[in-house]
Amino acid sequence: MNNTNILMRAGRWRWWELLLWAVALALPWVMNTHALIINEIAIVALFALSLDIILGYTGIVSLGHAAFFGMGAYTAALFSKHINPDPLFGLAVAMAVSTVLGAICSVTVQRGTDLTRLMVTMGVGLILMELANKLDWLTGGADGLQGVMMGPLLGRFEFDLYGSTAATYSIVVLFIMFVLARRFVNSPFGSTLKAIHDNRLRAMAIGIPVASRIAVAYTVAAGAAGMAGALLAQTTGFASLDVFEFHRSADLVLLLVIGGVGWLYGGVIGAIVFKVLQDAISSITPQYWTFWIGLFLVVLMLVGRERVVRPWTWFGTSSSKKKEGAA
Amino acid sequence: MLTILFDGIAYGMLLFILAVGIAVTMGLMNFVNLAHGAFAMVGGYVTVLLMQRLDVPFLLCLPIAFVTSALLGAVLERTLYRPLYKRPHLDQVMFSIGLTFMAVAAVDYFVGSTQQIMQLPEWLKGRTEIGEGAWMLGMGHYRLFIIAVCAALTIALQHILTKTRFGSRLRASVDDQRVAAGLGINVNVVFLATFAVGSGLAGLGGALGADVLGMDPTFPLKFMIYFLIVVAVGGTSSITGPLLAALLLGIADVAGKYYIPKLGAFIVYSLMIIILVWRPQGLFVRKGGKA
């Protein structure tokens, strides 16, 4: 009984969290001129959230998460172009398709070492990029898929040029997915994922079906990443090969590492820091901003990310740990 | 058909020289060094720039490329890499990707983003053809040269690893660092030397491959996946594993691009995924051996 209490406590919402989400929802309308970047941050945050499920909670290293992101983006774009322009419908279809893709790919991450998984996940991403590049009659090839027209959201709210509607849409989706993900990782199922993360052999010994748990976590994460991709395609009305690019996966791991893995908010914080940094640096040196991000990475790893990110990670993990210790 | 096989072998040999350093760092130090391609790029650029700007003969450029990258590797090993040996793989990956990003942007800044053209010496430009029709074997002299150099290097490497004192120290350090240190082997120096040689070989590979693979600032990112495939498929416990994997990959890639150009690099990636799902520790790993 005590154990269930602990589980439930970790998933309980605190008042300041709700306040933060309320502020986030108000932002696109208050900071009207920054709505586009807020939209981007929300999308990247959702993408990072999905990686956190497999990297932070299950311990699966992936350098090809953009595969699902891109799949979602292209599915949503194609769906709205050829079948039905309703955004929510497209979002659902994109999620379904990338979930299926995730289920197929989950066979590849169950065995082997970190290195093998790095390779295989990267390989899947590259294969999809090649496909999107070569199937140019469908995807537009290197020029990208143009002419994606989105219908109004819920039949009423048009996507405007300033992106306030788009940003609100993305934040709402992010919030819903955040609530679901939180429910997911704090469930007994989520606890088995953490057990696998900590020690796979021990998890196996106490009777956790490791392979199938990893498969499910990977599939769920793929679905969420697909939704993030769909949001990007829908709110920008455009899908290009860029969504599959390797650096997208690498940046994603980076921003998750900045924000801290294994507590869901890490992705959101990482997304904010990363996007703001990117915006700031690339406005100074548009061409060489990768140099600075590289330098940042190197320094971060040499100094030790715990020391650098302490001010933020301090909130989530330490307070829940204290309570666990008390109980 | 034989020509394709020949080109594939040359390409595979080149990949092997480029990737053997990464095989060593991964197998020996258990360090996932994605920045390996950056060392290759350094070698390539040194060669190209020396030839373009200073008219240094090609054959002289190769050792210079080797030494430059080896020195760079030694310095970086001492200053940046060593503290990261004990850290989780993810940290190492992020660190080395960071280095790669920096190298890409720096080369872009100093040399420019256009692809560098290399003027091969006259005696390497020709092409010899043997046989007739479908079995005709066309050998580009430069590719022949690559094969010769790489084969010599492979034999030398194999000899150093299995026959010399340094080789046995290295193998001892691979198997158990602590015991090796206890026996009086200076593991740090062995690692430093190995890392330097690995980087140097990458640089040499970059210099040799500048003409075949093309040299532009995105080189490390473009070929990173290839090095990693060689290592992942071949396993890191021997020299022969990566060699066979590199040859397989080279032939598959050249043949795929020739016969089914529409699919492009698709074949190589699919092949890798199938192999890795089938044998996650690599194709050529002895049973019960250390992964």
Side-chain angles (χ1 to χ4, degrees):
Chain A
M1 206 190 86
N2 211 2
N3 291 337
T4 38
N5 271 341
I6 293 170
L7 280 178
M8 286 174 65
R9 211 173 272 155
R12 191 166 294 157
W13 288 80
R14 279 168 277 274
W15 62 271
W16 55 266
E17 291 179 76
L18 295 174
L19 192 71
L20 279 182
W21 283 104
V23 170
L25 266 178
L27 269 184
W29 303 95
V30 180
M31 296 169 68
N32 211 320
T33 45
H34 293 85
L36 286 173
I37 187 157
I38 293 173
N39 177 40
E40 254 182 77
I41 289 175
I43 291 168
V44 174
L46 176 57
F47 191 20
L49 181 78
S50 92
L51 183 67
D52 203 13
I53 294 175
I54 55 169
L55 180 65
Y57 285 92
T58 326
I60 300 286
V61 187
S62 167
L63 264 186
H65 212 53
F68 309 114
F69 186 79
M71 195 66 185
Y74 270 98
T75 312
L78 287 171
F79 186 81
S80 71
K81 192 175 179 187
H82 297 295
I83 302 171
N84 189 330
D86 183 61
L88 289 180
F89 204 14
L91 187 66
V93 171
M95 188 186 79
V97 171
S98 47
T99 305
V100 170
L101 180 70
I104 297 169
C105 293
S106 68
V107 239
T108 61
V109 292
Q110 288 167 11
R111 308 206 297 150
T113 57
D114 279 354
L115 171 66
T116 329
R117 273 194 287 272
L118 280 179
M119 297 304 308
V120 171
T121 49
M122 200 160 33
V124 170
L126 288 167
I127 284 187
L128 285 178
M129 187 162 135
E130 281 288 318
L131 269 185
N133 189 14
K134 302 286 172 175
L135 298 176
D136 41 12
W137 52 270
L138 183 68
T139 61
D143 298 331
L145 187 67
Q146 274 153 353
V148 178
M149 293 305 288
M150 291 314 299
L153 194 60
L154 296 171
R156 285 183 57 190
F157 305 103
E158 287 280 355
F159 287 110
D160 50 15
L161 272 178
Y162 304 104
S164 297
T165 318
T168 312
Y169 172 50
S170 300
I171 291 176
V172 169
V173 173
L174 170 67
F175 179 66
I176 294 171
M177 289 310 289
F178 189 87
V179 173
L180 291 176
R182 188 149 173 172
R183 195 75 197 80
F184 180 70
V185 296
N186 286 312
S187 66
F189 188 95
S191 302
T192 62
L193 293 185
K194 280 176 236 169
I196 293 170
H197 175 254
D198 290 341
N199 189 331
R200 184 183 290 219
L201 212 59
R202 202 186 295 161
M204 227 180 261
I206 59 172
I208 297 171
V210 171
S212 71
R213 291 290 148 101
I214 291 178
V216 172
Y218 199 69
T219 309
V220 169
M227 285 179 88
L231 287 180
L232 182 74
Q234 290 178 335
T235 52
T236 56
F238 182 65
S240 68
L241 289 181
D242 166 65
V243 291
F244 285 117
E245 288 263 9
F246 169 75
H247 74 79
R248 210 174 258 280
S249 305
D251 291 351
L252 187 68
V253 181
L254 163 66
L255 69 85
L256 194 56
V257 165
I258 297 176
V261 289
W263 66 296
L264 296 184
Y265 277 113
V268 181
I269 290 170
I272 296 170
V273 173
F274 186 82
K275 275 287 161 196
V276 170
L277 260 181
Q278 186 183 27
D279 205 47
I281 298 175
S282 59
S283 68
I284 305 168
T285 52
Q287 205 181 343
Y288 306 111
W289 92 278
T290 50
F291 179 84
W292 299 106
I293 215 77
L295 185 67
F296 180 67
L297 261 177
V298 168
V299 171
L300 186 71
M301 290 304 151
L302 282 177
V303 176
R305 62 171 181 264
E306 294 80 12
R307 262 174 281 169
V308 178
V309 293
R310 178 109 317 170
W312 305 303
T313 43
W314 200 71
F315 286 100
T317 41
S318 73
S319 61
S320 64
K321 277 223 182 85
K322 241 181 260 159
K323 277 179 188 163
E324 261 173 57
Chain B
M1 207 174 84
L2 281 177
T3 309
I4 293 164
L5 194 67
F6 174 80
D7 282 356
I9 290 171
Y11 188 44
M13 282 293 212
L14 199 55
L15 282 179
F16 172 70
I17 292 303
L18 280 166
V20 68
I22 206 174
V24 168
T25 44
M26 244 178 228
L28 167 67
M29 308 170 193
N30 197 18
F31 191 101
V32 184
N33 179 22
L34 295 190
H36 195 71
F39 291 107
M41 178 170 71
V42 168
Y45 266 94
V46 164
T47 308
V48 168
L49 292 181
L50 280 180
M51 289 178 71
Q52 273 179 0
R53 311 244 161 112
L54 300 175
D55 275 330
V56 180
F58 179 66
L59 280 184
L60 191 62
C61 284
L62 295 180
I64 296 177
F66 178 87
V67 171
T68 315
S69 330
L71 281 180
L72 185 68
V75 171
L76 287 182
E77 201 270 351
R78 199 63 244 280
T79 51
L80 298 180
Y81 278 86
R82 199 171 288 173
L84 285 157
Y85 283 158
K86 300 276 177 232
R87 301 278 280 280
H89 279 162
L90 185 64
D91 285 18
Q92 299 170 349
V93 166
M94 295 319 288
F95 164 77
S96 48
I97 287 183
L99 270 189
T100 314
F101 280 173
M102 285 171 77
V104 168
V107 169
D108 192 346
Y109 180 78
F110 286 113
V111 193
S113 60
T114 48
Q115 183 157 354
Q116 299 295 323
I117 311 290
M118 198 167 93
Q119 275 301 320
L120 284 175
E122 279 305 319
W123 56 276
L124 282 174
K125 275 185 182 161
R127 189 181 148 93
T128 311
E129 292 184 354
I130 306 169
E132 291 283 314
W135 294 100
M136 192 206 48
L137 172 62
M139 295 184 293
H141 290 169
Y142 186 57
R143 286 189 164 70
L144 211 55
F145 177 71
I146 288 177
I147 291 182
V149 172
C150 293
L153 276 173
T154 311
I155 292 166
L157 276 178
Q158 182 73 16
H159 178 78
I160 290 171
L161 271 180
T162 53
K163 295 278 157 55
T164 62
R165 179 172 276 268
F166 181 80
S168 54
R169 284 188 175 157
L170 182 59
R171 280 177 291 129
S173 310
V174 176
D175 285 340
D176 197 321
Q177 262 187 54
R178 281 182 53 212
V179 174
L183 287 171
I185 296 171
N186 193 339
V187 177
N188 274 344
V189 170
V190 172
F191 279 13
L192 179 69
T194 315
F195 193 89
V197 171
S199 311
L201 284 173
L204 182 62
L208 281 172
D211 185 57
V212 182
L213 307 174
M215 243 331 129
D216 62 83
T218 60
F219 180 87
L221 290 171
K222 223 166 33 184
F223 286 95
M224 180 177 74
I225 183 90
Y226 282 83
F227 309 149
L228 289 172
I229 294 175
V230 168
V231 178
V233 170
T236 49
S237 57
S238 63
I239 290 283
T240 38
L243 175 65
L244 291 176
L247 288 178
L248 180 73
L249 181 72
I251 295 169
D253 200 35
V254 170
K257 279 182 177 149
Y258 182 82
Y259 286 113
I260 328 168
K262 202 108 187 73
L263 283 179
F266 194 77
I267 294 174
V268 172
Y269 302 147
S270 318
L271 193 69
M272 170 192 78
I273 288 177
I274 292 166
I275 290 176
L276 286 183
V277 168
W278 173 44
R279 298 201 55 174
Q281 310 293 354
L283 257 190
F284 308 105
V285 177
R286 63 207 142 103
K287 274 226 173 85
K290 211 174 120 186

